[in-house]
Amino acid sequence: MIATLRKAFNAQFSEEKYAAMLADIIAQFDYTPKFKIAETPVFIPKELKKKLVEACEDIMKVIDQPNFKELTEGAFFKDSMRVPNEDDHSKFIQLDFGVCLDENGNLTPKLIELQGFPSLYFFQELVGGMYRKHYDGIPEDFSQHLNGLSSEAYIELLRTEIVGDTDPKQVILLEIEPEKQATAIDFYATEALLGIKVLCISKLIKRGKQLFYVDDKGSEIQVLKIYNRIIFDELDQRPDLVREYDFKDEVDVEWIGHPNWFFRISKYTMPLLKGDYVPKSYYLDKLESIPTDLENYVLKPLYSFAGAGVQIHVDKAMIDAVEDKSNYLLQEKVAYAPIIETMDDPAKCEIRMMLLHNSKTNKTQIVSNLIRISKGEMVGVKYNKDKTWVGGSTGFFEP
């Protein structure tokens, strides 16, 4: 998006350099990521950075308002979705923006969706460093982070918020069969940097209100903090998973990222948001009249695993056929602009702004980013596995 940097990067790119970078990433943990890593980082110009920050601030004004929990009580349409001991703030927030062009042809972000849930906080730091290591010409004053946050300060902030003063052995990253997850490399990076245990929920031992796991030496370790990475949609699809602990159980643990925020800050929040950076969104069960220009809308389940069930070619019959309309959202389409020049066709771009609630300042701040690049109709690595210059990337912000 910054023409001079893009031209210089493309001029030095080679399949050999890209292969060397991938080999370096694989060697870190003797593990091959299951998702495509993009051949290029993205250079985010100052004006777009400014708009992204403004968009995040606008959205956080809604999330931070005193009645936000009251406004999002409808997100829990099943009792099994609610977890005890909810805290006051979502520790992690992801805001996904498509990069578009405004009426004057200028780059502008448009919100696609949002999540009150962790993302690839540790892998993104790793891959950003790998782009710098294997390619020349990424300016030193360009950064993955904002407000002068260095890589070292970023990791220390994550360590403080996830582990704090607790013995790392008593902090776990909780998942469903983590070694089989597409994001497993992020778990391994988290484990390496924080020294915490990556654990399947089926391995938790429950005694009264206490949780334990058995370490590599055969000793039982009490769990005091849970860094939760379980997606409820996936858990619902795994009745075969034998486990002692259920999310509805009252247990003596501190949630680092309480599960309830996964529901509150989600597609359910979209209709509550307004402004230049947000598309029109409607709860399907509260829609007074169906728009006549349905070709400009997408139909989304409020909760679905890995984007399942999203319909991008919507008609009235499709809407009428939805049985549980309370679980669906009708959202205005976002017109991604193909603005990243590659060796052949230009690519589209989606920027995930990764936020963290800082317990010391009691503020939610932007700490990093994740970028998806695509040449397909839908932006997202799962739809474009066979394409080149496509996949997960990271962005470097112009200072």
Side-chain angles (χ1 to χ4, degrees):
M1 285 183 277
I2 298 178
T4 53
L5 293 179
R6 174 52 53 208
K7 184 177 180 180
F9 184 93
N10 288 5
Q12 67 168 309
F13 176 81
S14 69
E15 291 292 343
E16 291 75 21
K17 277 191 175 185
Y18 176 61
M21 185 183 81
L22 291 184
D24 207 351
I25 291 171
I26 291 166
Q28 294 287 313
F29 308 106
D30 191 25
Y31 174 84
T32 302
K34 296 181 181 179
F35 55 86
K36 177 72 182 286
I37 297 172
E39 288 88 337
T40 178
V42 174
F43 305 107
I44 302 171
K46 191 179 300 183
E47 281 305 308
L48 179 58
K49 177 183 74 172
K50 179 182 176 182
K51 291 177 182 178
L52 284 163
V53 171
E54 287 177 355
C56 291
E57 290 174 347
D58 287 350
I59 293 164
M60 286 310 303
K61 286 176 184 175
V62 175
I63 294 173
D64 285 340
Q65 62 188 354
N67 65 338
F68 181 73
K69 285 191 177 184
E70 180 183 340
L71 292 171
T72 54
E73 279 300 291
F76 303 96
F77 54 85
K78 291 191 296 186
D79 289 341
S80 60
M81 297 162 65
R82 197 185 293 270
V83 179
N85 302 319
E86 183 180 336
D87 52 13
D88 293 331
H89 303 279
S90 180
K91 181 61 68 178
F92 307 99
I93 296 178
Q94 319 310 317
L95 303 177
D96 293 348
F97 297 94
V99 178
C100 310
L101 297 177
D102 64 17
E103 62 276 9
N104 298 315
N106 299 315
L107 296 175
T108 192
K110 281 284 188 180
L111 186 68
I112 304 299
E113 61 183 37
L114 64 169
Q115 302 171 5
F117 190 77
S119 188
L120 308 185
Y121 283 80
F122 293 88
F123 175 71
Q124 285 307 112
E125 185 62 28
L126 168 66
V127 76
M130 288 297 179
Y131 283 124
R132 284 195 180 276
K133 179 178 178 180
H134 289 273
Y135 296 100
D136 299 325
I138 300 176
E140 285 299 319
D141 56 350
F142 277 57
S143 176
Q144 290 172 252
H145 313 295
L146 291 174
N147 302 318
L149 190 68
S150 67
S151 291
E152 294 76 16
Y154 170 75
I155 294 298
E156 191 54 39
L157 177 59
L158 287 170
R159 187 191 313 279
T160 298
E161 295 301 330
I162 296 172
V163 179
D165 296 330
T166 305
D167 183 343
K169 289 179 63 177
Q170 295 184 281
V171 183
I172 63 168
L173 185 160
L174 191 65
E175 245 295 5
I176 301 166
E177 297 181 325
E179 71 283 355
K180 297 181 181 179
Q181 297 292 334
T183 52
I185 194 166
D186 180 66
F187 307 156
Y188 301 145
T190 305
E191 185 176 43
L193 286 164
L194 300 187
I196 67 177
K197 181 73 172 178
V198 178
L199 195 74
C200 178
I201 190 172
S202 65
K203 303 296 183 183
L204 276 175
I205 301 164
K206 183 174 179 288
R207 294 202 185 96
K209 289 188 174 184
Q210 295 182 330
L211 297 178
F212 301 84
Y213 71 91
V214 177
D215 70 7
D216 297 337
K217 297 179 182 178
S219 302
E220 282 195 359
I221 307 295
Q222 184 180 355
V223 177
L224 297 182
K225 290 181 178 178
I226 297 177
Y227 175 41
N228 181 51
R229 296 299 299 271
I230 289 178
I231 300 290
F232 279 79
D233 309 75
E234 184 180 9
L235 191 61
D236 285 345
Q237 296 172 25
R238 294 298 307 273
D240 61 305
L241 200 66
V242 179
R243 52 195 173 99
E244 295 184 16
Y245 168 68
D246 187 277
F247 276 90
K248 297 193 303 293
D249 296 338
E250 183 90 33
V251 288
D252 294 331
V253 299
E254 179 182 351
W255 290 99
I256 310 302
H258 193 284
N260 286 358
W261 292 105
F262 171 79
F263 296 102
R264 293 191 185 279
I265 301 174
S266 62
K267 296 184 188 75
Y268 189 87
T269 308
M270 288 291 293
L272 306 178
L273 305 172
K274 311 295 178 189
D276 294 338
Y277 306 117
V278 179
K280 291 181 286 188
S281 301
Y282 307 95
Y283 302 119
L284 198 59
D285 63 331
K286 297 179 181 177
L287 190 63
E288 294 182 0
S289 61
I290 296 176
T292 56
D293 58 338
L294 281 176
E295 68 277 7
N296 295 320
Y297 287 83
V298 295
L299 185 64
K300 296 181 175 183
L302 284 175
Y303 307 109
S304 62
F305 182 55
V310 176
Q311 302 292 336
I312 60 174
H313 301 295
V314 185
D315 57 31
K316 186 177 182 299
M318 188 181 294
I319 293 175
D320 291 341
V322 175
E323 294 182 3
D324 183 9
K325 289 184 170 55
S326 65
N327 190 31
Y328 276 80
L329 192 76
L330 191 66
Q331 181 178 315
E332 188 179 27
K333 278 183 180 176
V334 169
Y336 294 82
I339 41 79
I340 298 178
E341 296 296 329
T342 73
M343 302 307 189
D344 42 55
D345 300 325
K348 302 169 185 175
C349 173
E350 183 175 291
I351 301 177
R352 169 170 292 181
M353 300 294 278
M354 299 163 61
L355 286 70
L356 175 73
H357 185 265
N358 187 320
S359 57
K360 291 183 178 178
T361 64
N362 199 30
K363 301 288 185 183
T364 299
Q365 65 188 86
I366 303 165
V367 293
S368 192
N369 74 86
L370 180 156
I371 286 181
R372 295 187 181 100
I373 300 173
S374 173
K375 295 177 183 176
E377 185 174 18
M378 296 188 72
V379 175
V381 293
K382 69 170 288 194
Y383 299 102
N384 302 281
K385 290 180 180 178
D386 60 342
K387 290 179 177 287
T388 56
W389 284 80
V390 173
S393 179
T394 195
F396 293 101
F397 295 104
E398 183 179 12

